[in-house]
């Protein structure tokens, strides 16, 4: 089962974990990303390309499902304005064994950072600026090439 959801709504971790759990799975691994207050960020706003973003996330989840024989892969991502401390992304992987869930979970977050069309704008002291892609994100995604 694959679940991909992109929305401006807050992410409910308890509800998402319940949806990610599968009776046939022996393990579920998850990751939740928060908006950081780096260098005085007051607001982070994410834009996306509806349809294309969800399709990219589906491709990432489908690849994880087959590569690690998962029972489920979940990607939930927020868009719109968010404040520091708010949840921005949640990923989860369910499989019979923990190693597969941990690896798949890392893959999901690493690949979505580079493969899904999101655009970030940070506001500091009333000044908004677009965020450039980070080399560290590209390096993290590269390790999954195989």
């Amino acid at each position: 089962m694959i679940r991909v959801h992109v929305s401006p709504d807050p992410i409910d971790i308890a509800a998402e974990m319940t949806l990610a759990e599968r009776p046939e799975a022996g393990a579920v691994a998850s990751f939740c990303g928060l908006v950081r207050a780096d260098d005085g960020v007051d607001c982070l706003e994410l834009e996306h390309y509806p349809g294309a973003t969800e399709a990219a996330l589906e491709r990432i989840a489908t690849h994880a499902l087959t590569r690690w024989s998962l029972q489920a892969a979940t990607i939930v991502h927020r868009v719109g304005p968010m404040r520091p401390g708010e949840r921005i992304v949640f990923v989860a992987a369910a499989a019979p064994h923990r190693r597969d869930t941990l690896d798949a979970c890392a893959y999901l977050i690493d690949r979505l950072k580079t493969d899904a069309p999101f655009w970030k704008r940070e506001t500091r002291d009333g000044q908004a600026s677009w965020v450039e892609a980070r080399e560290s994100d590209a390096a993290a995604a590269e390790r999954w090439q195989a």
Side-chain angles (χ1 to χ4, degrees):
M1 180 192 109
I2 293 174
R3 181 164 183 279
V4 168
H5 184 67
V6 177
S7 168
D9 298 332
I11 299 171
D12 181 339
I13 297 296
E16 293 302 334
M17 281 301 291
T18 298
L19 290 170
E21 293 171 351
R22 312 272 18 106
E24 65 277 13
V28 176
S30 67
F31 171 85
C32 178
L34 307 174
V35 176
R36 294 185 305 264
D38 288 352
D39 302 321
V41 170
D42 300 316
C43 180
L44 175 69
E45 186 169 358
L46 258 73
E47 294 183 7
H48 75 301
Y49 186 176
T53 301
E54 291 85 352
L57 296 175
E58 289 267 349
R59 281 191 300 277
I60 294 164
T62 298
H63 185 261
L65 208 71
T66 56
R67 183 170 178 174
W68 286 281
S69 300
L70 304 178
Q71 273 77 36
T74 301
I75 302 174
V76 178
H77 213 296
R78 286 197 54 199
V79 292
M82 290 164 272
R83 302 280 175 216
E86 290 186 42
R87 297 175 188 118
I88 188 171
V89 64
F90 172 85
V91 300
H97 303 287
R98 73 178 178 274
R99 176 55 39 209
D100 285 346
T101 65
L102 293 168
D103 289 345
C105 188
Y107 169 86
L108 291 169
I109 194 66
D110 287 346
R111 294 310 307 192
L112 80 80
K113 295 280 287 182
T114 58
D115 296 359
F118 288 103
W119 297 272
K120 295 181 182 180
R121 184 172 41 222
E122 294 177 334
T123 302
R124 291 180 181 84
D125 298 322
Q127 299 292 333
S129 62
W130 292 102
V131 176
E132 295 293 323
R134 294 182 177 160
E135 284 186 35
S136 60
D137 290 336
E142 272 300 305
R143 77 180 175 123
W144 299 107
Q145 297 296 340

